[in-house]
Amino acid sequence: GWTSGQDMVDAQLLLGVDIMTGHWEYTFGAKRVQEILQNDFAGHIDFVAQNVVDVDWEERVFKPYVIREINGVNVAVIGQAFPYTPIANPRHLMPEWSFGIRHREMQESVDQARAEGAEVVVVLSHNGMDVDIKMAGLVNGIDAIMGGHTHDAVPAPLEVKTPDGGTCLVTNGGSNGKFLAVLDLNFAKGRIEGYRYHLLPVFANLIDPDPEMSRYIEDLRHRTVTFDGETFRMADKLGEALAVSDDLLYRRGNFNGTFDQLICDALMEQVDAQISFSPGFRWGTTVLPGMPITFEHVMDQTGLTYPAVTRNEMSGEMIKTILEDVADNLFNKDPFY
């Protein structure tokens, strides 16, 4: 929020990202997203999403895919943005756009890309692993889905059978730069003959940091910003030590993690509530026992575009409905629901 996402935009450009799709980006609003695409990404990064349309005309907002020549092979990369964005995030932040899985439109995009000469089709997806697996079994012609959202560190791709008897590889690459998912395809005689996949762990303390990126991060953190009427140097605010942790703090599970518990305990104590809710995000870095918990850690775990805590009066029936609804989102037998 301090930079309206510009810190990450500049980092992506420096990192050399080629193609991306979206989810939280949309919470900055349609105007800001379009501004970044036109001013920062143009000529550098392709933003692809086949499943985002405008509410009035049902016309696609973004390019559905891009075709790149990689090692002499035409590869189509189709974007699949997070389909439930207006449900998981406040609808009022992007009222003019409609999302959804749109697997039929995905089939149309695959067919169109193939007709344009794509020899390999890869989907860059923010569906989440379960939804990707189901979608892979409904659409013909996708060779691989490289996914995110649920942050699963999948050690080997799942081979999903497509309706026409083909195979689609489905993977997820973890979160927070903990892994790099590398898929090598052996393409010969006009088809994929085989593949090799590595979920490479990134041991940050064993890798020499890129000097240019280190400089960028250092410069960024020493910038002075004004936010919510307060002016401060980012490094001072981020480095503020709030407490020292006795335990290992993490957010990994669908049910809860130790950092989730800390957040929920803090919510109850601070606003004098009997019960507290926090979504099981499964993201964020880990705090080791004996480490200071800094303001940066708290932002890392909760840093949303719309940080608000509310205390509401609820009946037992209402609480049960909320929990049932969340459980249904996570564990419905049909991943599309």
Side-chain angles (χ1 to χ4, degrees), residues 127 155 159 169 173 192 198 204 210 219 257 285 288 293 304 328 335 337:
N127 275 336
E159 298 184 2
L169 306 170
I192 294 169
H198 294 290
D210 177 78
D219 291 348
T285 48
L288 302 177
I293 305 169
L304 314 179
D328 190 46
Y337 292 97

Side-chain angles (χ1 to χ4, degrees), residues 61-77:
V61 178
F62 309 102
K63 283 188 296 198
Y65 59 84
V66 62
I67 298 177
R68 296 274 181 104
E69 193 188 299
I70 303 172
N71 292 341
V73 179
N74 287 330
V75 178
V77 178

Side-chain angles (χ1 to χ4, degrees), residues 8 11 15 17 46 93 334-335:
M8 294 307 293
L15 188 61
V17 170
D46 282 307
L93 297 172
D334 184 342

Side-chain angles (χ1 to χ4, degrees), residues 170-225:
V170 181
T171 76
N172 233 261
S175 78
N176 291 76
K178 290 170 188 171
F179 300 95
L180 185 64
V182 183
L183 179 63
D184 292 301
L185 299 172
N186 177 12
F187 189 84
K189 301 172 199 148
R191 59 189 292 268
I192 294 169
E193 300 275 321
Y195 70 91
R196 196 173 52 202
Y197 180 77
H198 294 290
L199 189 67
L200 296 177
V202 178
F203 296 110
N205 55 337
L206 302 178
I207 298 168
D208 288 332
D210 177 78
E212 206 186 344
M213 186 62 91
S214 294
R215 211 164 35 246
Y216 166 72
I217 293 167
E218 201 56 33
D219 291 348
L220 177 76
R221 294 172 77 91
H222 284 87
R223 266 185 226 165
T224 299
V225 293

